[in-house]
Amino acid sequence: MDVEVLRTFVAVAETGQFQAAADELGISQQAVSKRIAALERHFAVTLLVRTSRGSRLSLDGQVFLPHAKKVLAAIEQAERAVCPGSRPLRVDVLNRRISPAQAVYRFYRSRPETDLDAVTLSKENAAQAAQAVLEGTVDATFRALPADQVPAGISAERLLDASLELLVGPGHPLADASWVSPADLAGHRIWIPGIMPGTEWAAFYQALSEAFGLSIDALGPNFGDEALMDTLADSPSLATLVGSGDRYLWPQTHDLRRIPLHHPTPVYPHVLLFRNGDQHPVLTALRDHLRATGPRTPHDVWVPDWVDR
């Protein structure tokens, strides 16, 4: 059933005049008459009785009117629900400890009235997360996705390069270094539990390993970040990699050290993926915020060959 036909019927019922309804809707009186006639043919009943003074509702029309109003109200509510800015912006940050989550949190703190939801699609790879954006499960996601793999209908903007840092315990041979180069890590075991095969971060660490001859693995069970920190604190040889904007906490007695990597500086390129033409005002504000406040990309940056430079 045509929504405009319903809207015309309600207008005539409320004004009692075909011409008044036409003026209200911005159409001709003839168009109003045709719409009402089509509606009455559809139901095979008379909904409006024409009189010399205008029109009035028939008994069938009186029964139908409240239902027609409910349909129009539901349609208006549905339209408002999907209008830009009428609902929270839903952003996938992958993991609440890493740079994207922290950047979105800083954005929120800079404007606490902002209506947004931060979610973690931690088990989805980049392609699956991009599909979630296309399907509307989320409005945007931070992923490291090669430009040639960005699906149609998705825009990609590289807004957050996270420089890598080495995280070690006080007994590690590199614990007192002010900085190290990736080549200095050759021969040291780098443990990153939780790397999932087939994900973009697995591809990133594989490329990093091959570029600098590193030993990066995810062997053994993953008992969470706290267990990882405990293990690093007690180990004289184990290390892991974290992003410069990642937020990890550990007891002061662990005495863990974050050591920047330079010459070159490996960065994890968090790309914001969102639907083409998405006009949600919070998305626009978030992109502007990240452009203005995001960390500067180092001059000696290293990224995998599959990353769009």
Side-chain angles (χ1 to χ4, degrees):
M1 184 180 298
D2 191 333
V3 174
E4 292 307 316
V5 169
L6 280 183
R7 189 168 284 117
T8 302
F9 166 74
V10 172
V12 174
E14 291 181 339
T15 63
Q17 299 283 339
F18 275 56
Q19 185 58 58
D23 294 341
E24 179 180 309
L25 298 172
I27 59 177
S28 67
Q29 181 176 342
Q30 184 180 17
V32 171
S33 297
K34 288 182 177 180
R35 289 179 181 180
I36 297 302
L39 188 63
E40 291 179 327
R41 283 197 302 273
H42 176 78
F43 290 117
V45 297
T46 298
L47 298 173
L48 291 162
V49 178
R50 285 70 167 174
T51 70
S52 57
R53 297 181 179 180
S55 63
R56 59 177 176 81
L57 289 169
S58 67
L59 290 176
D60 289 320
Q62 293 174 37
V63 171
F64 181 62
L65 180 60
H67 298 290
K69 287 183 175 181
K70 287 181 180 178
V71 170
L72 293 177
I75 291 172
E76 290 173 4
Q77 185 177 8
E79 290 174 343
R80 286 195 301 270
V82 296
C83 286
S86 60
R87 59 169 179 76
L89 182 76
R90 191 169 170 83
V91 184
D92 163 41
V93 296
L94 183 60
N95 182 309
R96 298 194 187 279
R97 293 190 186 273
I98 64 175
S99 293
Q102 300 307 310
V104 172
Y105 177 55
R106 288 192 296 272
F107 165 69
Y108 175 77
R109 289 196 63 180
S110 70
R111 47 176 75 198
E113 77 286 352
T114 300
D115 201 5
L116 65 80
D117 289 333
V119 300
T120 56
L121 302 181
S122 56
K123 296 183 179 180
E124 283 78 359
N125 61 26
Q128 292 166 332
Q131 187 62 34
V133 173
L134 279 175
E135 294 173 353
T137 304
V138 294
D139 296 296
T141 182
F142 287 91
R143 298 287 162 157
L145 189 64
D148 61 357
Q149 293 182 23
V150 176
I154 292 291
S155 295
E157 191 170 2
R158 185 171 156 186
L159 291 171
L160 194 61
D161 280 356
S163 301
L164 294 192
E165 296 178 341
L166 190 71
L167 183 63
V168 298
H172 193 278
L174 299 173
D176 295 324
S178 57
W179 62 271
V180 296
S181 71
D184 293 332
L185 304 183
H188 296 278
R189 184 190 174 198
I190 301 173
W191 186 44
I192 307 179
I195 297 177
M196 298 172 59
T199 58
E200 68 273 22
W201 54 95
F204 174 87
Y205 288 121
Q206 179 64 34
L208 183 65
S209 298
E210 293 173 354
F212 299 101
L214 307 185
S215 174
I216 300 177
D217 69 73
L219 300 176
N222 178 15
F223 288 105
D225 297 329
E226 288 72 17
L228 172 60
M229 304 303 150
D230 293 343
T231 303
L232 292 175
D234 295 335
S235 174
S237 60
L238 202 60
T240 195
L241 294 171
V242 296
S244 57
D246 298 354
R247 186 177 185 183
Y248 292 94
L249 303 176
W250 53 81
Q252 187 175 359
T253 53
H254 279 14
D255 194 21
L256 299 186
R257 319 290 176 82
R258 297 182 72 137
I259 305 169
L261 299 182
H262 295 308
H263 302 303
T265 301
V267 302
Y268 193 92
H270 294 285
V271 177
L272 186 67
L273 306 178
F274 52 94
R275 287 184 298 278
N276 292 348
D278 192 331
Q279 299 298 311
H280 198 297
V282 178
L283 176 62
T284 301
L286 174 61
R287 291 167 61 199
D288 290 342
H289 173 84
L290 292 174
R291 293 191 201 103
T293 64
R296 291 185 177 182
T297 301
H299 69 279
D300 63 340
V301 65
W302 175 90
V303 291
D305 292 338
W306 45 263
V307 173
D308 185 9
R309 298 168 189 267

